[in-house]
Amino acid sequence: QGLVEYVAGSCQDMCPELERYERTLRGITDSDGHVYLLESSLGETDHNRMVKEYRKEAADSVVEAPSALRPPKVLVRTMDFLLADVIAMAYQGTMSNEERSTWFEFLSNRLRAIRKDIKTQNLVTPATRGLLEQAVRFHIFAGWYMTDLEEFDRNRKLNDDRLKDTFGMLEGHYRDLREQDEPHPHEAEIRSYQILAGLGNPGVLRKISFVRHDPIMQNALKIFSCVGELGVLSRRSMTQGACNYVRFFRLAKRPHFCKFARS
């Protein structure tokens, strides 16, 4: 019954050196066979843009060396790069459907690798909490941004599963950091997303006790209640809740709900 020992990462790059050279030498930049232009400059693989990939074959069975694990400050730098140089591409409006699919697959994989580094090192800090909150926002945004692509149908469940995994890790962060009297300035926002992503599931209401009275959460709860009254997610007759449709759309126009829809 020995204590679990966690490895502290020492990698100072967004992608460990060994992985960068392995991927470059085999002529691809991803274990799935993708050559990501997102990691290239002037047609050449750019080591300064390479981001650690999530590797399925070593996902749970092999403990990575410290040199392959990124400490919190490097994980933050990696997320800053992804936000500024990759996620932001969605707002430029110039990607083809194929490029959008590649964009999603790349980011979903790299964010999963960030979560894995956090979990492997058992990191629970305000910095890693912020990383997970950013990941939640990405997966919600991706669910909206990619929804018109037929190619996204096969990735929709994957995106939902990644979102649930991230919510789960955040719950541990909120709990453990609260015991250290650490404030959570964005918990109400994230919990409201969890409520709206779980419409029709009363179980999510047990998770909001600390932020129930926040205005953002109050609006999410009103929408949750209104959807239940409408019977949209149950077998109830639509006519039973028809009188509440006006109320639903009034709520949906409020800023906090629109923020969720755009996140």
Side-chain angles (χ1 to χ4, degrees):
Q1 308 294 335
L3 296 175
V4 176
E5 293 187 11
Y6 292 97
V7 178
S10 61
C11 176
Q12 297 303 306
D13 300 310
M14 296 192 298
C15 185
E17 183 178 32
L18 180 59
E19 180 183 324
R20 295 201 311 269
Y21 283 103
E22 282 181 346
R23 289 164 56 192
T24 302
L25 287 172
R26 70 181 183 231
I28 59 174
T29 59
D30 187 272
S31 60
D32 290 330
H34 295 300
V35 178
Y36 281 122
L37 296 179
L38 300 167
E39 295 183 311
S40 302
S41 294
L42 301 175
E44 298 288 337
T45 300
D46 186 342
H47 283 234
N48 292 320
R49 294 181 61 85
M50 294 180 72
V51 180
K52 181 180 179 181
E53 68 172 344
Y54 178 86
R55 297 190 174 186
K56 299 175 183 177
E57 68 271 14
D60 301 308
S61 58
V62 177
V63 177
E64 294 180 275
S67 60
L69 294 168
R70 297 161 292 181
K73 66 177 183 179
V74 180
L75 291 171
V76 170
R77 175 154 49 87
T78 303
M79 180 65 82
D80 288 345
F81 167 77
L82 292 174
L83 285 169
D85 283 59
V86 184
I87 294 178
M89 293 171 64
Y91 295 95
Q92 298 170 6
T94 57
M95 289 193 289
S96 66
N97 287 351
E98 183 178 355
E99 288 170 335
R100 287 167 67 189
S101 294
T102 299
W103 174 89
F104 170 77
E105 290 170 4
F106 176 84
L107 285 165
S108 181
N109 178 280
R110 282 7 180 213
L111 291 178
R112 193 177 185 189
I114 287 177
R115 293 200 306 275
K116 181 168 179 281
D117 274 13
I118 292 172
K119 189 178 296 185
T120 300
Q121 297 173 82
N122 194 34
L123 297 172
V124 182
T125 70
T128 54
R129 175 195 60 200
L131 294 170
L132 295 171
E133 289 172 340
Q134 292 284 29
V136 163
R137 296 182 185 109
F138 164 76
H139 286 295
I140 291 173
F141 172 76
W144 168 79
Y145 178 64
M146 302 291 291
T147 193
D148 62 324
L149 293 186
E150 292 184 9
E151 296 88 343
F152 186 63
D153 287 342
R154 61 187 175 87
N155 284 323
R156 192 177 308 280
K157 185 178 185 304
L158 180 148
N159 190 57
D160 291 345
D161 289 344
R162 300 286 180 269
L163 179 61
K164 291 176 184 177
D165 290 345
T166 310
F167 277 139
M169 289 184 67
L170 264 174
E171 286 178 17
H173 272 65
Y174 288 146
R175 180 190 63 245
D176 294 347
L177 290 173
R178 186 173 283 111
E179 292 176 357
Q180 303 172 29
D181 295 322
E182 183 70 37
H184 298 313
H186 301 295
E187 183 178 7
E189 174 202 351
I190 298 299
R191 293 294 194 186
S192 71
Y193 298 159
Q194 195 169 16
I195 288 289
L196 295 172
L199 290 174
N201 175 18
V204 299
L205 299 178
R206 295 194 296 268
K207 307 176 186 293
I208 65 169
S209 58
F210 290 97
V211 292
R212 178 177 290 274
H213 300 294
D214 187 282
I216 296 176
M217 180 55 68
Q218 284 294 303
N219 196 53
L221 287 172
K222 289 175 182 177
I223 293 171
F224 185 94
S225 174
C226 189
V227 168
E229 292 170 6
L230 289 170
V232 173
L233 300 175
S234 70
R235 295 183 179 180
R236 287 181 53 196
S237 167
M238 297 292 284
T239 57
Q240 286 182 272
C243 61
N244 292 310
Y245 274 106
V246 173
R247 177 171 175 248
F248 171 80
F249 285 109
R250 282 176 179 167
L251 290 168
K253 289 181 180 179
R254 292 187 179 180
H256 295 312
F257 182 85
C258 294
K259 181 179 180 182
F260 164 81
R262 294 193 303 266
S263 296

